[in-house]
Amino acid sequence: MRVAAGLILASAMSVALTGAARSQTPAAKPAAATQAAPAAPAPAAAPATAPAATAAAPAQPAFPPPPKQAPQPARAACNTPGALGVARTVEIDTTGGPGFGFEHFKELDFLRDKEVVLTFDDGPWPKNTPAVLKALADECTTGIFFSIGKHATYEPEILKQVYAAGHTVGTHTWSHANLNNKKLTEAQRKEEIEKGLSAVKWALGGISPSPFFRFPALQHPPEMVTYLGNRNTAIFSCDIDSFDFKASKPEKVIETVMKKLDSKGKGIILMHDFQKHTAEALPELLKRLKAGGYKVVAMRAKFPASTLPEYDQELLKDVKLPTVSNRPVNSVVTTVSE
Ligand SMILES: [Zn+2]
């Protein structure tokens, strides 16, 4: 029943997102060449940290090693007494594609009692994502943002803000396709994963995000779980699903999360920075977490994701890239009479 309901919701959401993508297509602004962090160097030829080869493992396809790039900017120092804050930061070695979130993956029980991980899907999106960023900043806390590739190409500046604020950026496919959809070929499923990653890297001005991935609607086709394992990408399900995309008002988001959390005692919370109600609910929800004695854990990847060159190229066909000129519009177009 849970699965059936999920499928229905997933397709409804997919339609909603597709509709949003079609009807609300701000012209993709040129990626600002001036990213605070230095541009990522080209992937080094030498493997960085060679994953230990398991004796019994079959021959795996060769994928590029993780790129070497400047460390992500740190979160701002917290000057807010009594803020929720970040209790603990964990580093994840994503070799072999570990799974997190007990709704689907039960091997890695790393959270202590009362610990939570905040996760936000489907952004970046105008207004709502910046509101989520503000709420997190006000409480000196952090989360993982699983970005949709298309949305990243619409709003690269917002995704850059997410990264610059020190939050973890993961990916969530190119177009939010349900990868369990039998109409999709294996090549199309891989393209959803890889082009989504290439898009997020492009939006971040060439900086690779974390090899953290969440399947749309938490639909996990086994062959893609294996594929992500070979791509050394961690897979995130959740422990507490806020069902915020169904909520009729912000209070409902808070109620659902707190009720499930008080029952389970800890967990990875799934929300959507794409959703207005979530953005509105977050300040109060974070206060409630603090009052309830919950502590936020930050999750970082040990090494960044490596995009595949063919999908980086494929992406360029979909993005209106700046060609030779990077100049802002007001330096190119001047009103001379009105
Ligand atoms: Zn989603």
Side-chain angles (χ1 to χ4, degrees):
M1 188 179 96
R2 176 78 173 75
V3 171
L7 276 167
I8 293 160
L9 291 169
S11 54
M13 185 162 174
S14 179
V15 167
L17 279 170
T18 307
R22 282 191 184 135
S23 63
Q24 197 166 351
T25 312
K29 294 171 195 151
T34 50
Q35 170 74 12
T49 46
T54 46
Q60 291 181 357
F63 291 116
K68 292 189 192 313
Q69 62 188 21
Q72 184 176 6
R75 288 189 304 276
C78 184
N79 299 312
T80 312
L84 178 60
V86 175
R88 187 159 75 103
T89 299
V90 296
E91 184 179 86
I92 307 301
D93 182 343
T94 60
T95 306
F100 295 97
F102 268 50
E103 273 211 17
H104 296 89
F105 305 105
K106 307 202 189 295
E107 295 90 359
L108 300 168
D109 187 10
F110 74 100
L111 289 176
R112 301 167 187 160
D113 190 33
K114 290 272 184 179
E115 283 187 338
V116 298
V117 176
L118 307 175
T119 69
F120 301 96
D121 293 3
D122 297 358
W125 205 249
K127 293 192 176 71
N128 301 338
T129 303
V132 166
L133 291 179
K134 181 175 187 312
L136 294 175
D138 287 348
E139 288 291 335
C140 305
T141 194
T142 192
I144 308 173
F145 289 73
F146 292 98
S147 169
I148 294 175
K150 270 191 182 178
H151 291 182
T153 65
Y154 299 159
E155 301 294 342
E157 300 310 316
I158 296 177
L159 196 63
K160 285 188 178 83
Q161 289 167 25
V162 174
Y163 184 82
H167 304 299
T168 298
V169 178
T171 66
H172 192 45
T173 72
W174 164 243
S175 70
H176 209 266
N178 177 348
L179 299 192
N180 252 342
N181 181 345
K182 299 285 180 280
K183 290 179 185 162
L184 293 181
T185 64
E186 182 145 340
Q188 286 172 319
R189 287 168 221 252
K190 283 182 187 170
E191 181 173 340
E192 276 290 328
I193 292 170
E194 298 293 353
K195 204 161 133 186
L197 174 59
S198 290
V200 168
K201 180 183 172 186
W202 174 85
L204 290 176
I207 295 172
S208 285
S210 299
F212 288 179
F213 179 85
R214 181 173 269 148
F215 283 95
L218 304 181
Q219 296 291 302
H220 302 80
E223 64 276 20
M224 288 298 106
V225 171
T226 301
Y227 178 77
L228 287 167
N230 290 334
R231 291 284 277 121
N232 296 327
T233 299
I235 302 167
F236 283 72
S237 172
C238 70
D239 298 280
I240 290 142
D241 194 336
S242 68
F243 282 102
D244 54 353
F245 57 95
K246 276 176 58 183
S248 55
K249 53 186 181 178
E251 292 75 17
K252 183 69 187 163
V253 180
I254 298 168
E255 184 191 318
T256 303
V257 169
M258 294 311 297
K259 196 172 166 189
K260 290 184 178 179
L261 198 49
D262 287 341
S263 161
K264 295 190 176 178
K266 63 177 186 179
I268 297 171
I269 305 172
L270 191 167
M271 295 173 280
H272 296 83
D273 55 313
F274 177 76
Q275 295 290 337
K276 184 165 175 279
H277 288 327
T278 303
E280 290 171 351
L282 205 57
E284 177 63 20
L285 177 60
L286 297 179
K287 284 187 172 53
R288 292 276 297 273
L289 290 176
K290 174 76 178 175
Y294 293 101
K295 295 174 175 169
V296 172
V297 173
M299 294 180 77
R300 294 297 172 86
K302 188 174 182 181
F303 47 81
S306 55
T307 58
L308 301 182
E310 59 266 42
Y311 294 96
D312 289 341
Q313 290 299 316
E314 177 75 20
L315 174 75
L316 299 188
K317 295 177 195 162
D318 290 277
V319 181
K320 292 174 182 62
L321 280 174
T323 49
V324 180
S325 170
N326 270 333
R327 289 155 55 207
V329 64
N330 63 3
S331 90
V332 178
V333 182
T334 308
T335 303
V336 291
S337 73
E338 193 165 352

